């Protein structure tokens, strides 16, 4: 690994999870510092610290390890200030406060037990007068909203419901709905999600009306009766018009769209998306999203205020080695909307919070209206060399079907690779898998079109409409997958034979 290798936020998140898992039973952390090299090499430790603080609300197998990492990567003054913020925050769990107290005792010589003890509440007293301030801030700052949801996820199922009911007793309308919409959308078939749904139905909120009216179109059939029931309750309370767009537009009036980017899908259908807005102050609201064409919205990560320099640096790291396609905000919103439909019953709550940054953007049509033509062999071979195809292959654990394909491949000797691929193609690209890859071709044609590569867009559109060539295209994906399989195993003789046959 090169010395200045910078990870993007999702990779840092994964690396922290990896460290916490590998060292979960370790006590002598200094003896295992080799596992921290990747994190140590990151120039910007702010993201590391931010993610470590989110871990405080998670059940910890080794809290001492988390303390060790916080001390390692956070300047002492900032760490002390953040720990005091946890202790004084009325929405921090009791466990989080105790964790912060223990760490403060180790690093801050000015702490007093009496001062800390004043903030350690009875765990049943989950809400107090300062909650109103949190509700207000959550409307304009998705990070506050997400902090609440992180806190909620740290509670037992029973305490989750106690907290939600406590909120509904004291607050109503849009501020409350703004917090509870992601609770319902991210866990609709749990008791917590059902409780949130009932509270939304009684909230008299235009935001609740919008969220439920949208959710019922794509929800699981089992959930639709309960959603419709709560929509009826809202209508009986006089909430019959969806004014949510105007509500969020008013909140967004002091900012405008900044950079909207996406990558081509890789061999697993993954795409990296950037959504950002720039405020009149020059600060940037930044959101990174991972989507795929199997389950839609997979992960989401954001900052409510960073500088333009920080934004550009994160984008550079986020798209390392891949081409970032800048799109009009309306086009990207339509792509994200399609991804939302795939994850309608399992939406990450971080995304539900951050997607409001798109409220003032009108979606644009992403349909193509090209004339279909018959591709020449030269044009087809040109498609096989398009930049995105470098990532279009199946790795060895891609699917059960592909693993069986490789297992059978190893048992055949001597092997006619092309014949073997032709006989087994439909086993790997079975009906649903074929459909997803087929639509991936069309989606990539859309991206080519909106990145002003009309020739490639038209070629891909024609490929999409030619079932015979699509099958040939999928055969080429399997050829590449076999090559990559043997390359990973370093089987030089087979690699050389394949290169002679397919590459040269």
């Amino acid at each position: 690994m090169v010395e200045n290798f910078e990870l993007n936020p999702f990779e840092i998140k994964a690396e922290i999870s990896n460290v916490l898992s590998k060292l979960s039973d370790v006590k002598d952390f200094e003896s295992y510092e080799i596992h921290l090299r990747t994190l140590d090499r990151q120039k910007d430790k702010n993201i590391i610290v931010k993610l470590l603080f989110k871990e405080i609300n998670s059940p910890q197998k080794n809290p001492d390890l988390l303390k060790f990492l916080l001390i390692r990567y956070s300047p002492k003054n900032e760490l002390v200030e953040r720990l005091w913020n946890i202790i004084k925050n009325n929405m921090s769990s009791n466990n989080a406060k105790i964790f912060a107290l223990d760490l403060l005792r180790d690093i801050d010589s000015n702490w007093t037990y009496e001062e800390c003890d004043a903030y350690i509440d009875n765990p049943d007293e989950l809400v107090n007068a300062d909650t109103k301030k949190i509700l207000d801030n959550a409307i304009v700052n998705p990070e506050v909203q997400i902090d609440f949801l992180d806190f909620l996820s740290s509670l037992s199922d029973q305490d989750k419901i106690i907290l939600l009911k406590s909120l509904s007793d004291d607050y109503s309308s849009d501020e409350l709905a703004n917090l509870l919409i992601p609770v319902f959308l991210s866990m609709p078939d749990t008791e917590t999600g059902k409780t949130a749904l009932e509270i939304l139905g009684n909230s008299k909120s235009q935001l609740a009306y919008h969220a439920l009216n949208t959710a019922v179109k794509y929800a699981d059939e089992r959930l639709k009766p309960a959603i419709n029931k709560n929509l009826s309750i809202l209508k009986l309370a006089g909430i019959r018009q969806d004014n949510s767009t105007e509500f969020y537009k008013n909140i967004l009036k002091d900012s405008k769209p900044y950079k909207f980017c996406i990558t081509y899908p890789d061999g697993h259908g993954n795409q990296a998306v950037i959504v950002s807005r720039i405020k009149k102050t020059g600060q940037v609201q930044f959101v990174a999203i991972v989507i795929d064409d199997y389950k839609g919205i997979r992960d989401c990560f954001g900052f409510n205020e960073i500088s333009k320099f920080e934004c550009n640096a994160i984008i550079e790291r986020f798209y390392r080695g891949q081409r970032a396609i800048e799109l009009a905000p309306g086009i990207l919103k339509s792509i994200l909307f399609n991804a939302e439909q795939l994850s309608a019953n399992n939406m990450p709550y971080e995304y539900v919070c951050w997607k409001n940054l798109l409220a003032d953007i009108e979606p644009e049509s992403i349909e193509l209206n090209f004339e279909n033509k018959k591709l020449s062999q030269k044009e087809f071979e040109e498609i096989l060399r398009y930049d995105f195809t470098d990532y279009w292959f199946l790795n060895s654990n891609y699917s059960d079907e592909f693993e069986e394909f490789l297992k059978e491949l190893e048992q055949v000797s001597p092997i006619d690779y092309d014949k073997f691929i032709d006989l087994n193609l439909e086993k790997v690209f079975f009906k649903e898998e074929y459909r997803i890859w087929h639509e991936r071709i069309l989606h990539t044609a859309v991206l080519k079109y909106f990145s002003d590569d009309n020739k490639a867009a038209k070629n891909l559109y024609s490929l999409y409409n030619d079932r015979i060539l699509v099958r040939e295209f999928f055969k080429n994906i399997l050829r590449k997958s076999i090559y990559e399989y043997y390359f990973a195993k370093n089987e030089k003789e087979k690699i050389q034979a394949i290169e002679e046959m397919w590459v040269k």
Side-chain angles (χ1 to χ4, degrees):
M1 182 179 293
V2 293
E3 192 65 30
N4 294 324
F5 185 70
E6 293 289 311
L7 301 181
N8 69 48
F10 287 108
E11 291 169 329
I12 292 174
K13 188 177 179 182
E15 185 63 24
I16 288 173
S17 297
N18 186 39
V19 168
L20 292 174
S21 175
K22 279 186 177 179
L23 305 186
S24 60
D25 298 321
V26 170
K27 295 298 180 186
D28 181 18
F29 308 120
E30 285 80 2
S31 300
Y32 293 84
E33 289 187 335
I34 187 173
H35 295 292
L36 304 179
R37 284 181 178 175
T38 300
L39 294 177
D40 287 346
R41 284 174 174 151
Q42 303 309 301
K43 288 183 179 179
D44 182 1
K45 302 296 193 294
N46 289 330
I47 297 174
I48 297 175
V49 174
K50 181 181 179 66
L51 291 170
L52 288 173
F53 265 90
K54 285 186 175 293
E55 291 291 330
I56 292 175
N57 274 324
S58 304
Q60 288 297 321
K61 291 183 180 178
N62 191 342
D64 289 337
L65 172 59
L66 183 56
K67 293 172 187 174
F68 173 79
L69 295 174
L70 283 166
I71 292 170
R72 187 180 187 93
Y73 296 118
S74 181
K76 181 179 176 182
N77 290 342
E78 291 180 19
L79 180 56
V80 169
E81 182 180 354
R82 282 174 175 258
L83 293 172
W84 274 111
N85 287 340
I86 290 174
I87 291 171
K88 294 177 181 181
N89 186 344
N90 295 293
M91 295 304 292
S92 296
S93 69
N94 221 43
N95 286 340
K97 291 182 179 184
I98 291 170
F99 176 94
L101 169 61
D102 286 345
L103 185 49
L104 268 176
R105 192 159 41 195
D106 294 337
I107 64 172
D108 185 9
S109 58
N110 296 321
W111 81 281
T112 65
Y113 182 82
E114 290 76 15
E115 187 176 2
C116 292
D117 190 46
Y119 295 105
I120 306 296
D121 303 325
N122 184 317
D124 291 331
E125 296 173 0
L126 293 170
V127 180
N128 63 26
D130 287 344
T131 306
K132 182 67 168 70
K133 183 178 178 181
I134 292 169
L135 292 172
D136 290 339
N137 288 340
I139 289 224
V140 297
N141 186 345
E143 283 193 283
V144 174
Q145 197 178 12
I146 291 167
D147 286 343
F148 167 77
L149 292 158
D150 288 341
F151 162 66
L152 183 70
S153 66
S154 73
L155 303 176
S156 67
D157 290 341
Q158 183 179 357
D159 282 346
K160 285 184 177 77
I161 293 171
I162 291 172
L163 173 55
L164 297 188
K165 289 183 176 178
S166 298
L167 286 170
S168 68
D169 288 341
D170 294 330
Y171 306 100
S172 61
S173 200
D174 293 336
E175 291 84 358
L176 179 63
N178 188 59
L179 279 186
L180 298 191
I181 288 167
V183 176
F184 167 63
L185 293 180
S186 63
M187 50 182 88
D189 52 359
T190 67
E191 287 305 312
T192 304
K194 292 172 184 176
T195 300
L197 173 59
E198 291 177 6
I199 297 170
L200 289 169
N202 289 282
S203 67
K204 299 180 181 179
S205 166
Q206 60 183 330
L207 304 186
Y209 180 83
H210 169 76
L212 300 188
N213 213 25
T214 303
V216 76
K217 298 174 186 175
Y218 310 103
D220 188 285
E221 290 298 324
R222 295 176 296 107
L223 298 172
K224 287 187 177 182
I227 299 174
N228 279 321
K229 173 188 170 184
N230 284 282
L231 271 172
S232 297
I233 294 171
L234 283 167
K235 290 176 182 177
L236 288 171
I239 309 299
R240 297 174 176 272
Q241 190 173 354
D242 184 356
N243 296 317
S244 61
T245 300
E246 291 305 314
F247 177 88
Y248 284 115
K249 279 184 178 180
N250 185 56
I251 291 170
L252 298 170
K253 66 182 185 296
D254 289 331
S255 68
K256 62 181 180 180
Y258 183 45
K259 292 196 173 183
F260 282 62
C261 311
I262 192 170
T263 57
Y264 292 110
D266 65 13
H268 289 259
N270 296 309
Q271 292 178 272
V273 178
I274 294 293
V275 168
S276 63
R277 300 181 68 94
I278 189 163
K279 301 179 181 180
K280 289 181 178 179
T281 60
Q283 293 293 97
V284 175
Q285 290 176 294
F286 171 92
V287 189
I289 307 158
V290 173
I291 65 175
D292 71 22
D293 46 17
Y294 291 91
K295 295 185 178 179
I297 310 295
R298 300 304 301 266
D299 205 351
C300 184
F301 186 95
F303 300 106
N304 194 55
E305 282 194 349
I306 58 175
S307 68
K308 287 175 68 175
F309 175 81
E310 289 172 310
C311 173
N312 295 335
I314 294 173
I315 290 175
E316 185 177 340
R317 277 184 276 165
F318 193 63
Y319 289 133
R320 184 186 62 249
Q322 296 187 63
R323 180 184 168 192
I325 309 161
E326 288 205 37
L327 294 179
I331 299 298
L332 194 52
K333 182 170 182 175
S334 293
I335 292 172
L336 287 173
F337 179 77
N338 289 340
E340 287 176 27
Q341 311 320 306
L342 295 176
S343 52
N345 296 312
N346 189 28
M347 190 90 70
Y349 60 73
E350 294 90 346
Y351 177 76
V352 179
C353 298
W354 284 110
K355 67 175 284 192
N356 290 330
L357 297 190
L358 301 168
D360 62 345
I361 295 168
E362 292 297 323
E364 297 182 33
S365 172
I366 55 174
E367 292 185 6
L368 298 178
N369 296 305
F370 294 140
E371 180 182 347
N372 191 33
K373 68 170 185 175
K374 182 68 177 176
L375 290 171
S376 67
Q377 183 63 27
K378 181 180 179 182
E379 288 170 325
F380 177 69
E381 290 175 359
E382 189 177 329
I383 290 175
L384 300 182
R385 294 191 294 271
Y386 284 164
D387 49 1
F388 63 85
T389 64
D390 290 344
Y391 303 96
W392 283 27
F393 61 89
L394 317 182
N395 55 28
S396 59
N397 60 354
Y398 177 85
S399 66
D400 292 342
E401 292 77 12
F402 186 60
E403 286 185 27
E404 184 63 28
F405 173 90
L406 293 175
K407 184 177 178 182
E408 292 181 17
L409 179 72
E410 294 282 18
Q411 294 172 351
V412 178
S413 180
I415 178 110
D416 182 334
Y417 288 104
D418 280 323
K419 183 177 180 181
F420 185 81
I421 289 170
D422 189 56
L423 289 173
N424 291 279
L425 186 73
E426 278 73 21
K427 293 180 183 178
V428 177
F429 290 100
F430 52 92
K431 185 176 181 181
E432 180 61 14
E433 188 73 5
Y434 179 98
R435 183 192 66 80
I436 289 172
W437 276 88
H438 189 220
E439 291 301 313
R440 192 176 298 169
I441 294 171
L442 180 61
H443 176 61
T444 307
V446 168
L447 295 180
K448 284 291 185 184
Y449 175 71
F450 286 109
S451 59
D452 296 325
D453 191 345
N454 278 9
K455 181 182 178 183
K458 289 178 179 179
N459 284 348
L460 287 166
Y461 182 80
S462 294
L463 172 63
Y464 173 79
N465 287 290
D466 189 329
R467 293 188 66 86
I468 295 174
L469 280 185
V470 166
R471 193 175 190 277
E472 288 301 310
F473 185 73
F474 288 171
K475 285 167 69 173
N476 194 69
I477 289 173
L478 285 187
R479 291 188 188 103
K480 187 176 294 187
S481 303
I482 291 171
Y483 178 81
E484 293 290 342
Y485 170 68
Y486 286 129
F487 190 84
K489 293 180 69 178
N490 198 28
E491 296 196 21
K492 295 180 180 179
E493 288 186 12
K494 290 182 178 178
I495 293 170
Q496 185 176 355
I498 289 171
E499 286 179 346
E500 290 289 339
M501 180 170 47
W502 288 334
V503 180
K504 294 183 181 179

